[in-house]
Amino acid sequence: MKVRGKTNWTVTIFIALGTLFILFPLYMAITISLKNQQDMLTSVFGLPTHWRFENFTEAIRMTNFFRAFGNSAFVTLATAVLTLLTNSLVAYAIARNMNHKFFKGLYFYFISAMFIPFPIIMLPIVKLTSAMGMTNLVGLTILHTVYGLAFNVFVYVGYIRSIPTALEEAARVDGASTWGTFWRIIFPLMMPINATVGILICLSTYNDFLLPLVIISDQSMYTLPLVQYIFQGQFNTEFNLAFASYLLAMLPMILVYVFAQKWIINGVTQGAVK
Amino acid sequence: MARRRAAFYWMTIPAVVLFFLFHTFPALQGVYYSFTNWNGFGDHYDFIGFKNYYYLFQDSNVWNAYGFTFKFAVVATIFINLISLLIALGLNASIKARNFFRAVYFLPNILSVLIVGYIFNYLFSNVFPIWGAHLGSDTLAGNILGNEKFAWLGVSFVAVWQGIAFNTILYLSGLQTIPTDIYEASNLDGASKWQEFWKITFPMIAPFFTINMVLAMKNSLMVFDLIVALTNGGPGRATQSISHLIYTGGFEGGEFAYQSANSVIYFIVIALISIIQIRFLQRRETDM
């Protein structure tokens, strides 16, 4: 990306001012989480006079933060792994057989699910998962993997079709099976799109609220968004504790983002272009 | 050749089995339940045909939820696209610290909708009214979310705040597909910035405009987390979205079958809107 000509200062200033709209709510969240009750009343916008880090320890204790974080981390990572394995595989089979009726039909079968709103499945899925004993973190992982399939197959198939078939044919001449070709040649070639799909599925799984809300009833399996929901209901007057809890829940993603933002943004951009 | 095909069939099995079991099957079940009178927890229910559908059309709560959701979705979609296109144009211009600004504008997209909603809930009740009072407006000095007439604007505001992030990145990737020599040529021909935008930039990113409009509309029509965090459907039922109505009625109100029928209608509506949007916007793409 080369910058054309000299810096356009008018646009730079507008863009810089625009970021205030984004940063202000986050500034408020951070300062409130560090204030005591007294500060909350006397200075709404200012920095805390006494930095109350106890809000965080208190929030960790009250929400059982580490357990919820562990649950969220497990579901997020497991969903990412399962998604990369199953979705890329089916997308490969579809992308290489688009001239075949069965695979083309399968493609449209999956894609059409993008337009099915979740509520139509929501009520029956609760019955189904409880009947199957799947109202737990493993069940949550499988459901997240399934509900990402429509969009992921769409993105994957587009990408795989842009990979030339010459390498696969060469491998086949050398006697590699279709499976061997996939794992040793195609899957490594798909790394850019795997990264994109991985990032997007991690974001949506980590932040998802509705699916855990309807599936999980055992408190020890609550994910982070679910904990905020319960916490908010019980302690809605102690804002500094609530905000400390919100920040704790967002912090892991924010940290990952700070270190990998360039990669994340490029990944998302690539997934969109394909 | 036959063996190769066989391997491809095997590759589809895990996804197909899981997808059918946890997506298609429950969706079909949902359609089936919509013709019964099941409350969701008892053992007994009867097949009642189209009665649920008949009553849906006379239910003021249903009309109300559709009314709010559409009003909200249209306004949110328009503003999300307008603002994110402007920001993307700005981020694509020759500005300082471009990567830093890109990172900041994408930040809202990585945050949980529920928590963003809670933060704004506080801002609406405790912070924005302070500014409203300074401006001397009685409406703005109160909590807009508690105002039956204007609460939907508060919800839309937060949806736009967060929705802009993703669309900006999509528009930005669209802008980067435009070769720069087109602009050089138009500069030589003496085109104004305004002409340049309407004659070159906008037609060139038409496919991205289509994707963004469809995605923003679809996401807004399915709004749930934001409603829970900001208003819980209130005041009264002023901001009750369709998904919120299906959730509360289906799980807490004993209207399992009735809300299943509502979901079926909801599905048909979303599918129709998406198809119409894609058709309409794609025709625009080819005309240019």
Side-chain angles (χ1 to χ4, degrees), chain B:
Chain B
M1 187 63 201
R3 277 220 8 240
R4 253 170 60 196
R5 232 331 110 63
F8 282 129
Y9 281 116
W10 281 108
M11 285 177 177
T12 64
I13 284 182
V16 171
V17 169
L18 287 176
F19 193 78
F20 182 81
L21 189 58
F22 296 112
H23 195 282
T24 311
F25 178 63
L28 294 174
Q29 264 188 312
V31 176
Y32 170 76
Y33 286 131
S34 75
F35 297 108
T36 71
N37 63 358
W38 196 30
N39 58 15
F41 32 86
D43 291 330
H44 180 80
Y45 60 84
D46 297 310
F47 198 76
I48 58 165
F50 280 94
K51 262 194 191 146
N52 285 327
Y53 291 89
Y54 176 74
Y55 288 122
L56 274 175
F57 282 98
Q58 289 156 0
D59 187 335
S60 64
N61 290 341
V62 171
W63 283 105
N64 170 65
Y66 276 83
F68 161 74
T69 309
F70 272 89
K71 196 163 64 174
F72 161 81
V74 168
V75 167
T77 305
I78 291 173
F79 278 91
I80 286 175
N81 277 282
L82 207 63
I83 299 172
S84 54
L85 184 54
L86 276 175
I87 295 173
L89 286 170
L91 289 173
N92 201 43
S94 33
I95 58 167
K96 284 270 178 242
R98 189 199 282 177
N99 287 336
F100 167 77
F101 287 129
R102 276 213 312 179
V104 174
Y105 278 106
F106 190 65
L107 180 65
N109 191 59
I110 68 158
L111 308 176
S112 138
V113 180
L114 187 78
I115 297 177
V116 165
Y118 282 143
I119 293 176
F120 271 97
N121 196 346
Y122 176 85
L123 295 180
F124 277 121
S125 58
N126 297 296
V127 176
F128 295 161
I130 299 177
W131 293 333
H134 275 295
L135 293 172
S137 153
D138 282 343
T139 320
L140 293 177
N143 181 351
I144 197 174
L145 296 178
N147 184 320
E148 193 133 351
K149 253 169 60 200
F150 298 115
W152 74 280
L153 287 174
V155 178
S156 310
F157 179 83
V158 187
V160 172
W161 184 87
Q162 190 163 38
I164 286 170
F166 195 70
N167 282 32
T168 299
I169 291 294
L170 293 198
Y171 276 127
L172 196 57
S173 65
L175 290 173
Q176 284 168 1
T177 61
I178 308 178
T180 47
D181 43 353
I182 299 189
Y183 290 108
E184 279 154 24
S186 80
N187 267 342
L188 288 179
D189 291 345
S192 70
K193 283 279 164 208
W194 192 246
Q195 284 174 320
E196 205 175 81
F197 176 78
W198 285 113
K199 295 270 159 58
I200 302 174
T201 312
F202 197 60
M204 290 291 275
I205 58 166
F208 292 85
F209 184 68
T210 307
I211 296 175
N212 274 341
M213 291 293 283
V214 174
L215 280 183
M217 187 76 183
K218 205 191 81 178
N219 288 341
S220 311
L221 286 174
M222 296 193 192
V223 63
F224 178 81
D225 305 16
L226 207 54
I227 301 298
V228 170
L230 285 175
T231 60
N232 212 12
R237 284 177 184 265
T239 61
Q240 182 161 53
S241 71
I242 305 168
S243 347
H244 190 264
L245 174 65
I246 293 174
Y247 173 80
T248 47
F251 286 123
E252 292 157 16
E255 301 175 335
F256 193 96
Y258 183 64
Q259 293 301 343
S260 293
N262 196 7
S263 321
V264 173
I265 300 279
Y266 185 37
F267 159 63
I268 295 171
V269 167
I270 288 200
L272 277 180
I273 289 176
S274 303
I275 293 169
I276 292 171
Q277 256 187 317
I278 292 171
R279 280 270 167 94
F280 179 77
L281 292 169
Q282 273 181 346
R283 189 179 319 144
R284 215 199 101 251
E285 278 174 29
T286 48
D287 280 355
M288 292 283 180

Side-chain angles (χ1 to χ4, degrees), chain A residues 2-74:
Chain A
K2 216 170 63 210
V3 178
R4 267 180 290 133
K6 55 183 203 298
T7 306
N8 188 334
W9 283 107
T10 324
V11 176
T12 308
I13 289 166
F14 273 112
I15 286 290
L17 287 177
T19 59
L20 294 180
F21 282 96
I22 296 187
L23 296 176
F24 174 73
L26 298 172
Y27 163 80
M28 289 300 293
I30 295 169
T31 51
I32 291 167
S33 70
L34 287 164
K35 284 176 183 174
N36 59 19
Q37 293 283 356
Q38 179 66 29
D39 273 356
M40 294 275 296
L41 296 171
T42 51
S43 83
V44 178
F45 298 107
L47 291 168
T49 50
H50 306 282
W51 297 70
R52 234 185 92 83
F53 289 100
E54 295 92 322
N55 287 339
F56 284 88
T57 47
E58 186 67 8
I60 286 174
R61 195 183 58 76
M62 287 172 82
T63 61
N64 214 331
F65 171 77
F66 290 105
R67 190 175 65 190
F69 174 69
N71 292 339
S72 278
F74 171 80

